[in-house]
Amino acid sequence: MNDPRAKVPSNRWLFSLNIGFFAGLIWGAVKMLEHYLHFTSLPPGFLVESFYKRSFLNSFQGYMVGWVTFIVFSILASLLYTALFSKSTGPWPGITYGAVWWVLIFLLIGPVTGMMNWIAFLDWNTIITEICLFIVWGLFIGYSISMEFNDEREREPFNTNNQEPQPE
């Protein structure tokens, strides 16, 4: 007889695509709000600034290009997280993952490719806002994937009458 409590395992790659899409959708929208409220000087499309003029990226169409770019970036980042760290538990691997992406983009890739100025030329509001965004973005990706593939709640004992966990 099949156990109704049995958890059907998720397809890790489809789940990762889903998490990446929503990470990009949610945190890309937050990125747009940050820029609109002048918390950061970087437009939402800063990831593709090498390919577009700043004036375009500050327009409505540029915001949409930036949002789509951030969604694609988030999907790729979540697939990478799944491949490398899906067995990590807790929030810290995700926080670290977001911070590492910030370091890579803001200290290495961004200035070299022309996505942004060197960090010495960015204002403190931009630096702090962007690192906070990348940390919560990484936390969202990392903790979501961690909870799906390392859920400790499934090991708790259940009462057969009402399916509630029993205190130990």
Side-chain angles (χ1 to χ4, degrees), residues 15 19 23 81 90 137-150:
F15 183 80
I19 291 299
Y81 189 91
W137 168 83
L139 176 64
F140 180 87
I141 290 173
Y143 205 58
S144 298
I145 291 171
S146 173
M147 286 304 293
E148 181 66 20
F149 299 116
N150 303 301

Side-chain angles (χ1 to χ4, degrees), residues 2-53:
N2 289 338
D3 184 6
R5 294 175 289 143
K7 183 179 174 187
V8 177
S10 301
N11 179 317
R12 68 182 34 238
W13 304 112
L14 290 177
F15 183 80
S16 181
L17 283 170
N18 196 22
I19 291 299
F21 174 77
F22 283 104
L25 189 70
I26 294 166
W27 300 110
V30 170
K31 174 75 180 121
M32 289 192 302
L33 185 62
E34 286 176 353
H35 188 258
Y36 181 75
L37 296 174
H38 303 289
F39 291 145
T40 180
S41 61
L42 295 175
F46 78 98
L47 291 171
V48 290
E49 187 147 358
S50 311
F51 306 106
Y52 295 99
K53 291 183 178 184

Side-chain angles (χ1 to χ4, degrees), residues 21-128:
F21 174 77
F22 283 104
L25 189 70
I26 294 166
W27 300 110
V30 170
K31 174 75 180 121
M32 289 192 302
L33 185 62
E34 286 176 353
H35 188 258
Y36 181 75
L37 296 174
H38 303 289
F39 291 145
T40 180
S41 61
L42 295 175
F46 78 98
L47 291 171
V48 290
E49 187 147 358
S50 311
F51 306 106
Y52 295 99
K53 291 183 178 184
R54 176 67 72 110
S55 59
F56 172 75
L57 291 176
N58 286 327
S59 69
F60 176 76
Q61 294 86 358
Y63 268 52
M64 294 300 108
V65 166
W67 200 4
V68 169
T69 302
F70 199 77
I71 290 170
V72 171
F73 168 68
S74 297
I75 289 170
L76 296 174
S78 70
L79 289 170
L80 181 65
Y81 189 91
T82 298
L84 299 176
F85 308 116
S86 65
K87 292 299 177 188
S88 299
T89 58
W92 291 108
I95 291 170
T96 305
Y97 189 67
V100 166
W101 271 111
W102 182 86
V103 166
L104 285 172
I105 290 173
F106 281 77
L107 300 180
L108 184 65
I109 299 168
V112 171
T113 61
M115 269 193 252
M116 66 190 70
N117 290 329
W118 292 96
I119 196 163
F121 299 109
L122 295 175
D123 61 287
W124 279 105
N125 286 339
T126 297
I127 294 168
I128 292 169

